[in-house]
Amino acid sequence: MENKSSKYVMEDQLQILEKIQSVEAPAELYGKVLGKIQEQKRDIVSSKWIFAAAAIIVMLISLNVKIIQNAKYSSRSDFDTLFMMKSQNAFSYD
């Protein structure tokens, strides 16, 4: 079995590219490519939509933070209510 280094294996693979024949592109292809580029330049989102989306995202994040804070406070009060009160059936040895 022949042990070739990766350098020689890569050179063998690249020799396939030498057999490729060059082809001339059609003349109208350049015009089509420029037309597509011009179309993409016109497809720009207006700054009003960007501002509206940013405002909505900020409002949603604020709402989520407020809900999380309220949930923390209510869970603390529930915890305090459950575990910080004395049990009614506790025996005292006074």
Side-chain angles (χ1 to χ4, degrees), residues 37-75:
I37 292 172
Q38 293 300 325
E39 286 178 16
Q40 288 181 352
K41 285 183 180 177
R42 287 181 284 203
D43 294 339
I44 296 175
V45 178
S46 70
S47 59
K48 290 178 184 179
W49 283 106
I50 293 172
F51 179 74
I56 290 170
I57 290 170
V58 167
M59 288 185 346
L60 288 174
I61 290 172
S62 301
L63 179 66
N64 284 334
V65 167
K66 188 68 175 168
I67 290 172
I68 290 171
Q69 285 178 345
N70 287 341
K72 283 183 182 178
Y73 291 133
S74 67
S75 67

Side-chain angles (χ1 to χ4, degrees), residues 4 17 35 39 53 59 79:
K4 289 186 176 181
L17 298 176
E39 286 178 16
M59 288 185 346
F79 180 79

